[in-house]
């Protein structure tokens, strides 16, 4: 029996270093998942240190995070100037003239007891004109129609076969979570950290000194300090695995612009000779950026490409960001856990950074030390095992976008087409080519349908399929495929536009939020 | 495109052969695959029994096997789990029930709440929160309905007299289009260049050509594939089977009794009680072991047969165009009755990537990767039982010192630290089964999931009271095992 539970001395003092998206997601998530009688949470942030804030697009998992906090969706969207994201359109990633959508939805329906793509592959290999997999996704059709409504509840309805994420202003989201978390007991301390104190016996961090001279003591520290990785990369000196050989892009110019019409319910990612350009529509502006590999593209070239691509009046001048793809060897070292950019970085190609934060918060809530007990290295081992799975599987999925391109004669694209890739990815690609089986794992990001979208989109096509798909007579299969395509396009044609959905549901301008950004 | 996989040849004997052939034919005959079974002579005695986990019921449903007819014809019985007891009665018994334990509270898994309540003095065993464990203790069945499903899974397995079950499945195989041939031996015609199997010669005569071969016996695989020996993990190398009279009231679980030199399993069924005894010959000679078996069984035994076993697995279950399945791919210890489960896992993974053509190198590689993990986790489930066991005697002293894989060591550390079961992609055992084993062997986690503390203690108390009341009421509504079997004759 812990008789002293509830007094301030018996609470575990958790100190979060950094107040960007990662810091405030940690603060909000942990204050929701942990008991205030056992945990005392302080967040230190400095108004002098800017946040990177490129993560303006998300994955559908963010909805689970928001639901866990109990956020009202319309209010959250209004407050963060959010729009709907049904997927990503990739332009020119395979061949300069090609485009495809990675939707947040399923492809087709399982027939004959086997995943849809086997039926599709069989029909294709039999020489039938059954089109791209894209034609069998309702979410893709919604993207083409620039439409949105909430998914239907009836699982048999084609309009239930998708989920959705958001485009939002990451700065406004952090501010929204800050209000939420501080209202629920998270203490916010303003200041810049100038010294890190460690216990002499364990080497654990025990006190942070701020510029003002204030000292903040703690038992457990979350390093959300961004690329700086103040505690885990710095104090704990945890090594860095560089993934630049697989993901050579290392810089980006970012430039917001005035909102353009139509308001697309998807992100656009357009390849260029030295990288790619993002376009993220928010309610009050469009986020634009040009990601590039400095080995293959100069800063001037990248800047010029971005300026040429922006569709709307730009706000200000392009801002340069530098980064390196990779991750820490471990995220949890001693009594410090790196979350967010301090733990690793993957280019924002699939909007994974916020998900990786979210996954870390949920895992950490389960594996946190408890008051009165020291750090348990067994639990740290599990956290680090899951951290590796999350990062490495996400990396493989991102690398997939590059390897199968047909942009011949462009140095970056020639390099990534011919480079050696991780064995774990090579095996997945070979399996799909041979059998139409797409990765379908329980742990880590990206479902079978996501892999299907990008494999086919990049021109990786199956030469075989599961024999179970042969059960249906070919003419019956052909009719069912045509029927499915028609059901999808008919239903998508009747949906209201994304812009009118936003207008009716969560218009930010009505409350004035985000108007000045 | 390479040639189509039209002719599938399955070599084996007894229930595994007919189960595999039926499942594959049911799935693939509509797609034009011809399934040819080659039946080797039965290795069964009248004392053999198949004990299953709940997954088998789902497979039976796919094959449209009528449960009532199956149990009537085979003289089988239901099983809600495995009771692990100490023949010397020094270590308390526990049940590894097949159903779930408790219901979620505030969206959080039940187990952490139970750990917390224990710390604060609650003295109610985990079993009391399990519908299946509670029913099993009272000799009742648990037939799931909407209410019980909302509470937790309530699955069951079977004890099926082996020869009768094999015969039953053979008739099922015929109805789903399996072609069957008998043979006392097979010779293999291999492609000299690739090593692939081209055909099998039955008893030196009739030739059976095939595109793909399934080996459930070992005849096609043992000589050509690398075998990983598991004796350092699973020290059993002898198994005896025997049978005794049926119990007057048939228990609805298997009883696994530890004695100083081995483990004796009693499998109650309508046709009799089947007894399986496993031991290590280096620690105990056959006669002593058989004496121990009879003493522990506590009933006169007849038709006793002793066999040698060597637990292990093939390094690669699929080599060339031949896939080893079941005991040919992975031989487990006589513990937890995992054999049919391992066979079933192999079949499910095969059907998930069954090739349309002969260009299947990638499918093969992926299958081997997944099955290696699946088999290793099943082995870990068994070796966990050995390293945690607190029983006395030479066998258990050795068992506690068996090798522990890196994954299992991590799993044990996680449970000890927080009461959680670390997830792995290829682990097929339910989380509740791992927990039942840990808790049953007396492992008390040092902490529980912190989120549990978000729930007010009063809510916790109320929820526990509701759950215990629900379990009690539901179990009392259930028929006894005997009533149910009698009613459904």
């Amino acid at each position: 029996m812990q008789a002293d539970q509830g007094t301030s001395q018996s609470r575990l003092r958790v100190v979060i270093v950094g107040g960007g998206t990662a810091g405030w997601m940690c603060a909000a998530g942990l204050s929701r998942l942990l008991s205030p009688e056992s945990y005392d949470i302080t967040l230190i942030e400095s108004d002098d240190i800017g946040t990177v804030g490129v993560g303006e697009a998300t994955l559908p998992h963010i909805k689970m995070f928001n639901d866990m906090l109990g956020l009202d969706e319309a209010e959250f969207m209004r407050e963060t100037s959010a729009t709907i994201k049904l997927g990503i359109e990739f332009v020119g990633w395979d061949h300069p003239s090609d485009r495809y959508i990675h939707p947040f939805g399923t492809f087709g329906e399982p027939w004959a007891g086997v995943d849809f793509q086997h039926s599709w592959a069989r029909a294709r290999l039999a020489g039938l004109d059954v089109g791209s997999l894209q034609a069998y996704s309702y979410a893709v059709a919604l993207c083409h129609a620039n439409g949105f409504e909430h998914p239907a509840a009836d699982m048999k309805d084609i309009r239930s076969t998708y989920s959705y994420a958001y485009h939002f202003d990451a700065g406004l989201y952090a501010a929204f979570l800050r209000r939420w978390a501080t209202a629920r007991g998270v203490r916010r301390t303003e200041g810049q950290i100038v010294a890190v104190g460690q216990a002499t016996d364990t080497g654990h961090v025990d006190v942070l000194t701020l510029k003002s001279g204030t000292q903040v003591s703690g038992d457990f520290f979350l390093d959300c300090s961004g690329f700086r990785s103040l505690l885990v990369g710095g104090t704990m000196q945890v090594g860095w695995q560089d993934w630049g050989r697989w993901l050579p892009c290392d810089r980006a110019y970012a430039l917001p612009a005035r909102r353009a019409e139509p308001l697309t319910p998807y992100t656009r990612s357009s390849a260029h000779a030295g990288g790619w350009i993002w376009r993220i529509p928010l309610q009050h502006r469009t986020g634009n950026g040009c990601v590039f590999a400095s080995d293959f593209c100069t800063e001037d070239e990248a800047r010029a490409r971005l300026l040429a691509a922006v569709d709307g009046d730009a706000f200000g001048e392009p801002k340069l960001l530098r980064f390196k793809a990779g991750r820490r060897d471990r995220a949890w070292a001693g009594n410090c856990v790196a979350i967010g950019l301090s733990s690793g970085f993957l280019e924002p190609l699939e909007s994974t950074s916020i998900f990786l934060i979210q996954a870390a918060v949920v895992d950490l809530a389960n594996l946190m030390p408890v008051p009165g007990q020291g750090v348990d290295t067994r639990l740290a081992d599990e956290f680090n095992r899951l951290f590796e799975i999350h990062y490495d599987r996400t990396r493989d999925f991102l690398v997939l976008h590059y390897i199968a391109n047909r942009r011949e004669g462009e140095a970056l694209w020639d390099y990534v087409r011919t480079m050696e890739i991780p064995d774990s990815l090579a095996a997945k690609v070979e399996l799909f080519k041979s059998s139409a089986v797409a990765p379908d794992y329980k742990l880590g990001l990206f479902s079978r349908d996501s892999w299907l979208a990008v494999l086919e989109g990049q021109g990786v096509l199956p030469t075989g399929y599961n024999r179970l798909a042969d059960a249906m007579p070919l003419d019956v299969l052909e009719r069912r495929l045509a029927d499915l395509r028609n059901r999808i396009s008919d239903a998508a044609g009747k949906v209201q536009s994304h812009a009118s959905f936003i207008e009716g549901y969560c218009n930010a301008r009505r409350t004035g939020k985000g108007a000045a950004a | 495109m390479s040639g189509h996989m039209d002719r599938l040849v399955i070599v084996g004997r007894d229930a595994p052969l007919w189960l595999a052939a039926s499942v594959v034919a049911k799935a693939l005959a509509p797609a034009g695959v011809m399934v040819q079974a080659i039946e080797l002579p039965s290795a069964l005695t009248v004392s053999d029994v198949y004990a299953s986990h709940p997954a088998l019921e789902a497979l039976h449903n796919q094959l449209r096997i009528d449960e009532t007819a199956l149990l009537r014809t085979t003289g089988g019985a239901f099983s809600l789990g495995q009771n692990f007891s100490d023949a010397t009665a020094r270590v308390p018994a526990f049940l590894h029930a097949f159903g779930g334990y408790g219901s979620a509270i505030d969206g959080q898994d039940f187990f952490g709440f139970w750990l917390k309540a224990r710390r604060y003095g609650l003295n109610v065993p985990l079993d009391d929160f399990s519908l299946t464990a509670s029913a099993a203790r009272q000799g009742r069945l648990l037939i799931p309905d909407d209410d019980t499903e909302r509470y937790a899974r309530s699955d069951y397995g079977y004890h099926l007299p082996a020869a009768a079950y094999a015969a039953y499945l053979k008739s099922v195989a015929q109805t789903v289009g399996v072609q069957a041939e008998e043979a006392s031996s097979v010779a293999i015609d291999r492609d000299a260049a690739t090593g692939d199997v081209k055909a099998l010669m039955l008893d030196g005569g009739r030739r059976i050509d095939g595109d793909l071969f399934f080996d459930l016996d070992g005849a096609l695989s043992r000589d050509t594939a690398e075998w990983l020996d598991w004796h350092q993990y699973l020290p059993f190398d002898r198994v005896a089977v025997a049978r005794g009279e049926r119990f007057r009231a048939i228990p609805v679980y298997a009883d696994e009794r530890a004695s100083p030199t081995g483990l004796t399993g009693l499998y109650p069924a309508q046709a009799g009680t089947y007894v399986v005894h496993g031991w290590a010959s280096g620690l105990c000679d056959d006669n002593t072991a058989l004496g121990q078996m009879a003493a522990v069984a506590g009933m006169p035994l007849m038709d006793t047969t002793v066999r040698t076993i060597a637990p292990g697995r093939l390094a690669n279950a699929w080599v060339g165009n031949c896939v080893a399945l079941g005991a040919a791919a992975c031989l487990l210890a006589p513990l937890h009755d995992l054999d049919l489960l391992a066979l079933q896992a192999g079949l499910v993974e095969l059907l998930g990537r069954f090739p349309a053509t002969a260009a299947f190198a990638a499918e093969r590689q992926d299958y081997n990767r997944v099955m290696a993990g699946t088999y290793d986790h099943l082995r870990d489930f068994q070796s966990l039982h050995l390293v945690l066991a607190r029983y006395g005697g030479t066998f258990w002293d050795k068992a506690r010192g068996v090798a522990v894989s890196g994954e299992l060591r991590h799993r044990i550390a996680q449970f000890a630290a927080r009461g959680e079961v670390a997830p792995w992609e290829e682990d097929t055992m339910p989380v509740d089964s791992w927990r039942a084993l840990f808790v049953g062997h007396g492992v008390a986690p040092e902490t529980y999931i912190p989120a549990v503390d978000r729930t007010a203690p009063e809510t916790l108390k109320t929820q526990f009271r509701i759950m215990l009341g629900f379990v009690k009421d539901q179990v009392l509504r259930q028929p006894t095992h005997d009533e149910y079997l009698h009613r459904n004759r």
Side-chain angles (χ1 to χ4, degrees):
Chain A
M1 189 73 113
Q2 287 157 292
D4 59 350
Q5 217 179 35
T7 68
S8 63
Q9 286 82 0
S10 72
R11 295 202 291 172
L12 190 99
R13 296 164 304 169
V14 179
V15 179
I16 301 170
V17 173
T21 317
W24 286 111
M25 282 182 76
C26 284
L30 293 181
S31 65
R32 170 65 187 83
L33 290 167
L34 302 175
S35 165
E37 288 168 12
S38 306
Y39 295 89
D40 169 70
I41 303 174
T42 302
L43 185 145
I44 304 173
E45 66 178 338
S46 164
D47 292 338
D48 299 336
I49 300 175
T51 57
V52 172
V54 291
E56 292 176 324
T58 57
L59 293 170
H61 308 74
I62 188 75
K63 201 171 173 327
M64 283 157 59
F65 188 81
N66 288 349
D67 287 350
M68 177 192 83
L69 297 181
L71 304 187
D72 176 77
E73 183 179 61
E75 182 194 355
F76 143 78
M77 290 186 71
R78 216 163 28 235
E79 294 285 328
T80 60
S81 197
T83 63
I84 293 294
K85 177 181 173 188
L86 289 167
I88 305 174
E89 184 185 33
F90 289 96
V91 180
W93 277 77
D94 171 18
H95 190 271
S97 64
D98 283 348
R99 54 176 65 206
Y100 67 93
I101 287 174
H102 163 200
F104 298 145
T106 56
F107 289 100
E109 301 160 338
W111 292 333
V114 66
D115 289 343
F116 174 77
Q117 78 271 17
H118 295 284
S119 299
W120 170 79
R122 176 193 171 208
R124 252 193 90 253
L125 291 167
L128 300 182
D129 179 16
V130 294
S132 154
L133 265 183
Q134 296 269 304
Y136 302 91
S137 161
Y138 181 67
V140 167
L142 272 186
C143 287
H144 289 319
N146 283 319
F148 181 75
E149 63 187 0
H150 281 105
D154 178 1
M155 302 293 277
K156 290 190 291 288
D157 189 331
I158 192 80
R159 293 170 302 171
S160 73
T161 59
Y162 63 101
S163 52
Y164 62 93
Y166 313 100
H167 305 111
F168 59 53
D169 181 319
L172 293 178
Y173 185 56
F176 185 71
L177 294 181
R178 173 170 134 183
R179 287 194 294 282
W180 192 92
T182 50
R184 284 161 182 78
V186 172
R187 194 180 313 107
R188 175 179 179 271
T189 299
E190 156 68 33
Q192 213 174 321
I193 296 162
V194 292
V196 177
Q198 288 171 273
T200 43
D201 49 347
T202 58
H204 286 186
V205 172
D206 57 3
V207 63
L208 303 176
T209 307
L210 307 185
K211 206 170 179 179
S212 62
T214 307
Q215 295 207 314
V216 181
S217 303
D219 304 306
F220 198 66
F221 292 81
L222 305 189
D223 182 351
C224 301
S225 64
F227 288 129
R228 232 175 122 201
S229 197
L230 180 72
L231 304 180
V232 172
T235 311
M236 294 293 163
Q237 306 220 323
V238 173
W240 175 264
Q241 298 189 7
D242 191 308
W243 290 344
R245 65 188 179 287
W246 296 311
L247 295 168
C249 287
D250 59 354
R251 292 186 201 179
Y253 273 112
L255 181 64
R258 192 176 303 283
R259 167 173 162 167
E261 304 299 331
L263 188 67
T264 58
Y266 54 87
T267 304
R268 181 173 296 136
S269 163
S270 310
H272 66 78
W276 57 277
I277 288 169
W278 80 70
R279 181 185 179 283
I280 297 173
L282 305 185
Q283 290 189 38
H284 59 305
R285 66 168 192 231
T286 304
N288 301 285
C290 176
V291 175
F292 60 104
S294 60
D295 282 351
F296 300 97
C297 177
T298 67
E299 291 184 2
D300 286 347
E301 283 169 340
R303 199 170 182 281
R305 280 186 191 129
L306 178 59
L307 289 169
V310 168
D311 60 339
D313 301 336
F315 298 137
E317 287 297 304
K319 195 173 114 195
L320 182 67
L321 308 163
R322 294 162 196 271
F323 46 78
K324 281 186 299 190
R327 66 162 168 85
R328 298 272 155 210
D329 292 330
R330 289 167 294 146
W332 181 334
N335 65 337
C336 301
V337 181
I339 294 181
L341 299 175
S342 56
S343 68
F345 180 84
L346 289 162
E347 60 191 81
L349 182 54
E350 285 282 357
S351 319
T352 48
S353 61
I354 287 179
F355 170 79
L356 290 167
I357 296 167
Q358 177 183 344
V361 172
V362 171
D363 289 343
L364 186 64
N366 289 335
L367 297 166
M368 279 293 276
V370 297
Q373 289 199 337
V375 168
D376 189 331
T377 55
R378 295 169 298 183
L379 300 176
D381 287 347
E382 176 68 351
F383 185 86
N384 287 328
R385 185 178 77 93
L386 298 172
F387 163 76
E388 282 182 30
I389 290 173
H390 283 307
Y391 262 88
D392 296 4
R393 290 191 167 166
T394 303
R395 175 203 64 199
D396 281 2
F397 187 64
L398 296 196
V399 175
L400 171 67
H401 293 68
Y402 284 101
I403 57 178
N405 76 80
R406 288 180 291 164
R407 298 183 65 104
E408 290 180 23
E410 293 174 333
L412 167 67
W413 298 94
D414 287 343
Y415 168 76
V416 292
R417 193 186 320 108
T418 52
M419 69 186 173
E420 230 177 272
I421 62 173
D423 292 344
S424 48
L425 174 58
K428 291 182 181 92
V429 173
E430 281 313 306
L431 182 64
F432 180 72
K433 277 189 195 165
S434 174
S435 67
V437 173
D440 192 9
Y441 39 71
K442 289 178 285 197
L443 305 172
L445 249 187
F446 294 112
S447 65
R448 185 192 61 223
D449 291 295
S450 288
W451 280 88
L452 280 176
V454 177
L455 283 161
E456 196 229 355
Q458 293 297 133
V460 180
L461 296 174
T463 57
Y465 56 90
N466 192 319
R467 183 63 190 264
L468 289 166
D470 277 342
M472 201 184 294
L474 200 56
D475 58 329
V476 174
L477 175 59
E478 189 175 20
R479 274 202 306 277
R480 290 186 72 167
L481 288 168
D483 169 64
L484 179 56
R485 289 194 303 269
N486 291 336
R487 268 191 290 150
I488 286 172
S489 56
D490 286 354
K494 295 178 187 136
V495 177
Q496 66 178 322
S497 76
H498 177 218
S500 68
F501 169 81
I502 297 289
E503 180 63 31
Y505 187 67
C506 56
N507 189 335
R509 276 167 296 186
R510 235 174 272 153
T511 57
K513 291 287 177 202
Chain B
M1 249 168 50
S2 316
H4 261 251
M5 297 279 97
D6 288 333
R7 296 165 305 172
L8 178 62
V9 181
I10 306 185
V11 184
R13 60 184 101 229
D14 303 322
L17 168 68
W18 302 118
L19 197 62
S22 303
V23 166
V24 171
K26 175 87 186 166
L28 288 165
V33 176
M34 199 194 79
V35 178
Q36 170 82 58
I38 298 177
E39 180 187 17
L40 298 169
S42 175
L44 298 174
T45 72
V46 292
S47 297
D48 282 297
V49 66
Y50 293 109
S52 78
H53 281 248
L56 190 68
E57 191 209 348
L59 206 62
H60 282 176
N61 287 338
Q62 281 174 31
L63 295 172
R64 308 214 191 293
I65 288 176
D66 177 69
E67 184 173 81
T68 301
L70 173 74
L71 291 176
R72 184 179 57 231
T73 312
T74 60
F78 291 94
S79 173
L80 293 175
Q82 301 150 348
N83 185 53
F84 288 95
S85 62
D86 179 4
T88 65
R90 280 193 288 262
V91 179
F94 72 93
L95 203 80
H96 164 212
F98 289 146
Y101 291 79
S103 236
I105 301 175
D106 287 347
Q108 282 283 333
D109 189 77
F110 169 78
F111 188 68
F113 293 101
W114 181 77
L115 288 178
K116 176 174 182 174
R118 288 255 291 191
R119 173 156 320 166
Y120 286 84
L122 173 89
N123 198 19
V124 181
L126 190 58
D127 283 2
D128 289 11
F129 292 91
S130 161
L131 288 164
T132 46
S134 301
R137 292 261 180 253
Q138 297 188 31
R140 294 176 190 271
L141 212 51
L142 202 299
I143 308 297
D145 61 23
D146 288 349
D147 285 345
T148 65
E149 286 300 290
R150 253 193 305 281
Y151 178 80
R153 275 186 306 115
S154 296
D155 306 335
Y156 52 76
Y158 307 110
H159 299 152
L160 300 168
Y165 181 48
Y168 195 91
L169 287 175
K170 185 174 181 177
S171 66
V172 170
Q174 280 156 358
T175 65
V176 294
V178 174
Q179 308 285 315
E181 289 267 356
E182 288 180 23
S184 57
S185 70
V186 293
I188 308 166
D189 179 15
R190 287 187 191 275
D191 184 300
T194 62
D196 280 1
V197 180
K198 289 200 295 193
L200 301 178
M201 260 69 69
L202 311 189
D203 298 326
R206 194 165 139 65
R207 176 185 171 95
I208 306 285
D209 290 282
D211 301 311
L212 195 63
F213 292 81
F214 287 4
D215 178 14
L216 286 109
D217 169 67
L220 312 188
S221 314
R222 280 292 166 85
D223 301 338
T224 53
E226 185 191 351
W227 181 258
L228 306 176
D229 184 341
W230 281 349
H231 79 270
Q232 75 276 27
Y233 296 103
L234 304 170
F236 295 91
D237 65 355
R238 288 281 193 285
V239 178
V241 295
R243 65 189 177 110
E245 292 287 297
R246 64 164 279 180
F247 285 102
R248 237 176 315 145
I250 300 173
V252 66
Y253 54 83
D255 211 4
E256 308 264 354
R257 300 175 182 175
S259 61
T261 60
L263 182 70
T264 311
L266 274 69
Y267 297 91
Q270 297 179 79
T273 303
Y274 295 80
V275 183
V276 179
H277 183 69
W279 73 98
S281 63
L283 300 174
C284 179
D285 64 64
D286 287 8
N287 281 336
T288 312
L290 293 178
Q292 191 79 254
M293 175 185 185
V296 170
M299 61 174 68
L301 297 179
M302 53 192 163
D303 301 317
T304 304
T305 301
V306 176
R307 299 184 181 116
T308 300
I309 58 162
R313 71 164 168 89
L314 289 175
N316 291 307
W318 185 345
V319 176
N321 65 339
C322 178
V323 189
L325 283 157
C330 174
L331 200 65
L332 290 152
L335 177 63
H336 306 128
D337 312 312
L338 300 176
D339 302 331
L340 288 181
L341 202 61
L343 168 63
Q344 197 173 339
L347 287 170
V348 167
E349 295 298 336
L350 259 180
L351 287 178
R353 41 177 88 61
F354 197 91
T357 73
F360 52 62
E363 286 95 315
R364 183 171 57 207
Q365 189 186 343
D366 194 55
Y367 179 83
N368 285 332
R369 179 185 62 79
V370 168
M371 291 315 296
T374 303
Y375 293 142
D376 286 354
H377 283 297
L378 289 173
R379 176 205 65 203
D380 282 358
F381 192 76
Q382 297 193 325
S383 55
L384 178 65
H385 190 92
L386 300 179
V387 297
L388 295 180
R390 294 169 293 174
Y391 311 120
T394 50
F395 180 82
W396 299 101
D397 288 343
K398 186 181 173 76
R400 272 183 290 277
V402 296
V404 174
S405 72
E407 283 88 354
L408 181 56
R409 189 170 301 116
H410 184 79
R411 202 189 276 281
I412 292 171
Q414 292 312 306
F415 191 82
R418 186 127 298 176
E420 288 297 292
V421 175
W424 268 277
E425 216 65 60
E426 279 90 29
D427 175 15
T428 52
M429 294 306 289
V431 165
D432 280 321
S433 286
W434 289 101
R435 283 183 175 149
L437 219 53
F438 276 116
V439 172
H441 282 300
V443 179
E446 293 155 39
T447 63
Y448 52 84
I449 292 261
V452 161
D453 287 333
R454 295 280 312 182
T455 298
E458 295 70 38
T459 309
L460 188 55
K461 273 183 211 152
T462 308
Q463 288 297 322
F464 274 30
R465 214 170 25 240
I466 292 171
M467 284 187 216
L468 291 170
F470 178 81
V471 169
K472 206 174 199 175
D473 291 349
Q474 287 297 320
V475 169
L476 281 176
R477 289 179 39 218
Q478 301 293 327
T480 67
H481 195 192
D482 289 306
E483 279 166 10
Y484 190 85
L485 289 170
H486 189 75
R487 202 196 300 159
N488 290 288
R489 286 194 69 83

